[in-house]
Amino acid sequence: MNHVLLQGDVRVAPVLREIDGASAVSFDIVAPTAAGKTVAIPVLWPVSKVPEWLVEGATVAVSGEVYRRFFFANGQRNSLVDVTASDVVKATPAKLRRTIDSHIERVAS
């Protein structure tokens, strides 16, 4: 099963872009690791506009899948790994609880 649930802070202002002919919002979140360090995690969310609440510094919860993309740049084949989000919510206690419950249901089924 490929499903991930993350909580962190949006690192820089999200950008609306076109990926494979479809609109998507890309942004990084910064989240703590178990070792006490922080890591920036790239997120790609297939929606047609950036929600007003999704701004630099916002705390969010992201539910989705880890995905490896391949692309060509400067004549070289490259790849990157990101989280393709199925859901992104502003991290309020109630929304976090619903996101966690939904995540548990997906993993359990």
Side-chain angles (χ1 to χ4, degrees), residues 43-98:
V43 177
L44 187 65
W45 187 22
V47 294
S48 59
K49 67 177 189 171
V50 180
E52 291 181 18
W53 54 264
L54 190 61
V55 296
E56 181 177 347
T59 302
V60 298
V62 176
S63 179
E65 299 177 339
V66 176
Y67 191 80
R68 186 173 182 191
R69 300 180 194 291
F70 295 92
F71 61 96
F72 285 92
N74 300 323
Q76 299 278 346
R77 183 177 179 195
N78 297 288
S79 70
L80 62 85
V81 175
D82 63 25
V83 172
T84 299
S86 55
D87 195 20
V88 178
V89 297
K90 188 173 183 178
T92 64
K95 287 182 180 178
L96 280 175
R97 181 79 259 160
R98 284 193 301 270

Side-chain angles (χ1 to χ4, degrees), residues 3-71:
H3 194 77
V4 63
L5 177 63
L6 303 166
Q7 180 183 342
D9 299 326
V10 177
R11 187 172 77 163
V12 295
V15 176
L16 184 62
R17 51 188 0 183
E18 192 166 308
I19 306 274
D20 298 329
S23 295
V25 174
S26 74
F27 59 97
D28 289 354
I29 64 169
V30 178
T33 66
K37 298 180 181 183
T38 57
V39 61
I41 304 154
V43 177
L44 187 65
W45 187 22
V47 294
S48 59
K49 67 177 189 171
V50 180
E52 291 181 18
W53 54 264
L54 190 61
V55 296
E56 181 177 347
T59 302
V60 298
V62 176
S63 179
E65 299 177 339
V66 176
Y67 191 80
R68 186 173 182 191
R69 300 180 194 291
F70 295 92
F71 61 96

